[in-house]
Amino acid sequence: MATTTKSDLWVRVGSAIILFAIAGTALWFGGIAFGLLLLVGGALVLVEWLALVRSMAPGGGARAGLMILGPILILGAAAGLWFIRDHLGMTAALWVFGMVWATDIGAYFAGRAFGGARLAPTISPSKTWSGLFGGMVAALIASATIGDRAGIIGVPLWIGLFMGLLAQMGDLGESWMKRRAGVKDSGRLIPGHGGLFDRVDGLLPVALLLGALAFAGQIMVRG
């Protein structure tokens, strides 16, 4: 049993390294490389989203609404990331990714360290309120440090806190979809990790909102 667990861990680590290398390379080069990553990744996430929705038990019009929401959310997130990378720069795009990654890490360690009341036991029993707040604080720190490095003008505290909250709501939303569909993962694309949607569920709403704010001129970098 221990050997299997260790083997699974190495599979997860190896998959994460490959994913990071692919995403990091595309982010570094930007332009066509980053656009192609977003196009292919967005298409794969959409396929997984639609498969989940089709597997969900019918009722209440949720399936019809999610069929419409999925393409809007995924296309909007991809467009938002592309706009930020193309117009604000690589570090500004890393700022977006960094807040989401920090949220996941902060929520995990805070939840493990403090435990406490469950956040949404009927949707995702492992998530706690301490994890929620830990993720928000971690996102705040990432927003302040990377945002300053990126030259983003006047990064208010609420952006990091709210993005940390929004990322976790995206995660909970996918957990609800998987529970309704009766599956553990959104797919089997990534060995040891499940589907691509499982890895970007928190990124989608964050990228959509920040991309819209950047497009509206509410997020700018120092010249």
Side-chain angles (χ1 to χ4, degrees):
M1 185 69 174
T3 303
T4 303
T5 301
K6 187 174 181 179
S7 175
D8 289 344
L9 175 62
W10 281 112
V11 169
R12 289 177 62 86
V13 171
S15 297
I17 291 173
I18 293 172
L19 285 174
F20 183 81
I22 293 172
T25 301
L27 182 62
W28 175 270
F29 285 103
I32 294 176
F34 192 57
L36 185 60
L37 174 72
L38 293 174
L39 179 64
V40 174
L44 292 172
V45 173
L46 180 59
V47 168
E48 293 179 359
W49 177 291
L50 296 177
L52 277 180
V53 175
R54 293 191 190 99
S55 299
M56 289 171 58
R63 291 175 63 179
L66 289 169
M67 283 288 188
I68 298 172
L69 176 63
I72 294 173
L73 177 60
I74 294 165
L75 179 61
L81 285 172
W82 180 86
F83 184 87
I84 290 173
R85 173 62 181 89
D86 191 62
H87 292 267
L88 302 184
M90 184 190 71
T91 313
L94 187 60
W95 171 64
V96 179
F97 285 105
M99 282 188 285
V100 177
W101 293 336
T103 299
D104 289 341
I105 295 170
Y108 174 79
F109 283 105
R112 295 270 295 183
F114 301 108
R118 302 299 174 182
L119 176 63
T122 60
I123 299 175
S124 184
S126 64
K127 290 182 173 55
T128 61
W129 283 97
S130 61
L132 175 71
F133 293 120
M136 292 172 67
V137 171
L140 167 62
I141 296 171
S143 176
T145 54
I146 304 175
D148 180 69
R149 182 81 175 179
I152 296 174
I153 299 172
V155 182
L157 295 179
W158 67 264
I159 283 187
L161 289 173
F162 185 69
M163 292 306 111
L165 174 63
L166 189 60
Q168 293 181 80
M169 293 305 100
D171 187 299
L172 278 176
E174 194 215 1
S175 295
W176 176 81
M177 291 175 65
K178 290 189 292 187
R179 186 165 289 272
R180 285 285 303 271
V183 297
K184 181 178 181 292
D185 300 311
S186 65
R188 300 180 180 178
L189 179 66
I190 308 170
H193 289 270
L196 186 58
F197 184 24
D198 292 319
R199 302 276 61 82
V200 301
D201 50 10
L203 177 64
L204 294 178
V206 170
L208 173 63
L209 180 56
L210 291 179
L213 289 173
F215 183 76
Q218 300 303 305
I219 296 176
M220 298 178 286
V221 296
R222 293 187 290 269

